[in-house]
Amino acid sequence: MDSTLVNWEALDRLILDFAKSENLIDDSASTSTISFPSSSPSSFSSSYQSRFIIRQIRRFLESGDIDSTLHLLRSHAPFILDDRRLLFRLQKQKFMELLRRGTDEARDSAIECIRTALAPCALDAYPEAYEEFKHILLAFIYDKDDQNSPVAKAWSERRRFEIAGLMSSVLRAHLQAYDPVFSMTLRYLISIHKGFCIHQGVSSPISDLTERLLLEERDPPAVPQESFYEAPPFDEVDIQALAHAVELTRQGAIDSLRFAKGDLFQAFQNELCRMKVDVSMLDELVREYCVYRGIVDSGLALPSVPGLKTLAEPLKVGQSEPGCCSSRNYSFEGDNTNNKHSDGENSVSNAHMNVSPEDSVDVNSIQGTDVELRYACESTSYHEDCSTSGSHQAGISKVLQRNRNYTIGERSKRKRWRGRQDEEDYKQDLNATATSTNLSRDKQQGFEKHPSADINARDDKNEVVLGMKELVGRGMAAEVVEEVTALDPNFFMQNHVLLFQLKQVEFLKLVSSGDHTSALRVASSHLGPIASRDPSLLKPLKETLLALLRPNEDALGKGLPLHALSTSLQVAIGQKLGIEEPQLMKLMRATLHTHNEWFKLQMCKDRFESLLRVDCLKDVNTPLISACSMSKSNADSCTHGSSQVTISSSTRVSEEGSSPAQESSRDVCDENAILKVMEFLALPRADAIHLLAQYNGNAETVIQQIFA
């Protein structure tokens, strides 16, 4: 599949909102001061509290505890018990659960339940209720293990899950307790992705994720009350939009709209939340992404110590040699990592760790380094002056050391990942889906072999990448180029587009400061030569030079989205260091691509993309750096799902692009004719349009030809 540009900053916001809404993170204190918020639902937001209660009710019903369910409903949702249809189903299930116990006392309680609750409720619940009541009495004489009995289905424990799903659907709608937007967006995009792959007969590159994350089973739909059956007819456009968006029959879409009292978007949310996801797997995907992006602390580094000024300490500590160009040097050679501290400020850090500047502490050696990192200057020993020579070294270089106070400050602002530890009952869900949380079994086995070494190595390398990402975000392009070159002198030879983009930032920063002489020097020394080797960069070069005509404007702030460039660099450097891209990034890139392609086939705009922020995820607004600047090698790597996130000059990655044949087909067809063919022939929109195009847009002719 082709690469799809993603606004990762928009995804960051969605992810952060999701984590906060689900109480997965603790941002009440920095990572150095760990505090646990109250586990009482009353301390959470009202939306979270409602979802928490719904989950409790679901668990009680799935375990057959009807009395606890009724107690919760009376306390938090008494309106449910006013619906005689739902009350009858609950009482019927209570009767079966009492009989299931098999004791004489339970049988007497079942008889009492029939007399006082079930029989009176059956009289006016719904027309078929009394027949169901008489039928359920057969459970007195047929054993629960008799699979051929007339009440075998009533005995089945699957009934618990059906009623639990139904109650969840009803409560969600009445309490407006919808899942966070990101959770619904992911369900929607995966659903479209699966449908697109089936329709086009192509295999999904992320099927291992989508199949485990989005489950096939859905909660039962909430049934509208009888008074809604006489609701005025709904707009056929709404019916078809809902039916095709969430894979409903036409009648199912009508019922869903009736339950939502004609509110299309509420009906859409109701249907999305019926789709089941593996919650523990989703949480793990989100956690992995948050650590990679620096939203939450990995929790793998040593705890913060007051006065500690260095970025990471799980290496050798000692005093650096005089004249070294970096106050701290690392060597990634084989399985060992060494580092040296300069005296002065860092000696204070050692004092807090009970380590003198003369001592060296061997904590953990680095295992499994996939990529050998080199400084630009070569040396036979790390004790030598690296201003004139260097060795194969990696870690925190001089740029990050100069800015380490800022970097430490940024790290202290990261959230702490809590998980769902506030819900003790949720443990059974985690145990039930434990196997699905092993997102990479081979990687996990590797951690078991060398847990501390591998984790520390990965954490240190991720801190290096996050440090560079922060520098790009601050517009420190020259420092980033120097830093990356120190890590790998050949990096920009293989990623010349990234070098061009960083030099664009440097140029615009100099223009904004009024230093036109230095800006032109950067353009002639770097931008010009790179563009001469890659003609696709000539257009963005010309656009960049236009900043000279607007000296009073903030060229850097208006011209470049630094967050997009920082992500591009993060992915590329991460690959070089052997840091695997989060699986959530691969999933979002692939599903947004198929969303584009699907609506090209449908020849219409997605009516729900704004509600789910899909439009924001595609909104890559980069006026000066062109997508055409992406080199062929980078484009090829994008195709395989672990690409650089290159930047586009278009204001929007449009999902409405279509071929001339598609445009002509759309012009021939009237919207009412399309809907009529879709309704009568139960066809997807694209197929209906193609049929209409063959018969000059006449819906009656199409229908006659099909039935002839």
Side-chain angles (χ1 to χ4, degrees), residues 578-622:
I579 301 174
E580 187 175 355
E581 185 183 38
Q583 298 192 68
L584 189 58
M585 291 182 79
K586 301 174 185 178
L587 189 149
M588 294 303 298
R589 189 180 293 112
T591 55
L592 285 171
H593 166 76
T594 49
H595 182 273
N596 284 340
E597 297 304 310
W598 179 248
F599 281 95
K600 285 180 184 178
L601 290 175
Q602 301 304 305
M603 302 181 195
C604 66
K605 184 178 176 64
D606 183 0
R607 297 186 65 185
F608 305 107
E609 65 174 14
S610 296
L611 177 68
L612 298 180
R613 309 292 192 272
V614 175
D615 54 347
C616 296
L617 292 173
K618 297 180 185 180
D619 188 6
V620 188
N621 188 357
T622 61

Side-chain angles (χ1 to χ4, degrees), residues 88 119 122-123 126-135:
F88 174 71
L123 295 176
Y126 48 88
E128 302 83 5
Y130 193 68
E131 288 299 320
E132 291 181 16
F133 164 72
K134 291 189 293 182
H135 182 76

Side-chain angles (χ1 to χ4, degrees), residues 396-407:
I396 313 300
S397 67
K398 57 184 179 181
V399 176
L400 292 182
Q401 285 296 293
R402 284 199 302 267
N403 297 279
R404 64 174 177 265
N405 289 336
Y406 170 82
T407 308

Side-chain angles (χ1 to χ4, degrees), residues 96-115:
M96 295 303 302
E97 296 300 337
L98 288 170
L99 285 183
R100 197 187 303 276
R101 297 178 188 174
T103 64
D104 292 340
E105 182 181 357
R107 181 178 290 268
D108 292 340
S109 297
I111 294 174
E112 182 66 19
C113 175
I114 286 177
R115 290 173 176 169

Side-chain angles (χ1 to χ4, degrees), residues 481 498-507 522 526-527:
V481 171
L498 274 176
L499 178 60
F500 182 86
Q501 294 168 349
L502 287 168
K503 288 300 178 180
Q504 276 185 305
V505 173
E506 185 179 350
F507 174 86
V522 169
H526 298 282
L527 295 177

Side-chain angles (χ1 to χ4, degrees), residues 79 153 201 228 285 423 499 527 536 593 608:
F79 58 86
K153 290 184 178 179
F228 295 154
L285 287 173
E423 298 182 42
L499 178 60
L527 295 177
S536 66
H593 166 76
F608 305 107

Side-chain angles (χ1 to χ4, degrees), residues 165-223:
L166 174 63
M167 295 300 297
S168 297
S169 296
V170 174
L171 286 167
R172 212 164 25 230
H174 281 289
L175 298 176
Q176 295 290 296
Y178 297 115
D179 294 326
V181 173
F182 174 70
S183 180
M184 292 192 288
T185 302
L186 203 58
R187 291 167 179 165
Y188 182 56
L189 290 175
I190 292 176
S191 177
I192 289 176
H193 178 81
K194 287 183 175 181
F196 175 82
C197 291
I198 293 172
H199 185 273
Q200 296 298 101
V202 298
S203 59
S204 168
I206 55 168
S207 58
D208 58 326
L209 287 176
T210 58
E211 295 300 327
R212 289 184 292 148
L213 186 57
L214 184 64
L215 308 180
E216 292 294 332
E217 187 178 4
R218 299 188 187 189
D219 285 338
V223 182

Side-chain angles (χ1 to χ4, degrees), residues 79 83 85-86 170 173-174 222-234 251-263 266-267 270:
F79 58 86
D83 189 330
R85 303 168 306 157
L86 297 175
V170 174
H174 281 289
V223 182
Q225 296 182 15
E226 291 181 11
S227 59
F228 295 154
Y229 279 100
E230 300 302 324
F234 304 110
Q251 186 58 50
I254 292 173
D255 289 341
S256 183
L257 285 167
R258 280 175 176 158
F259 181 77
K261 300 180 182 179
D263 188 326
Q266 182 177 335
N270 290 339

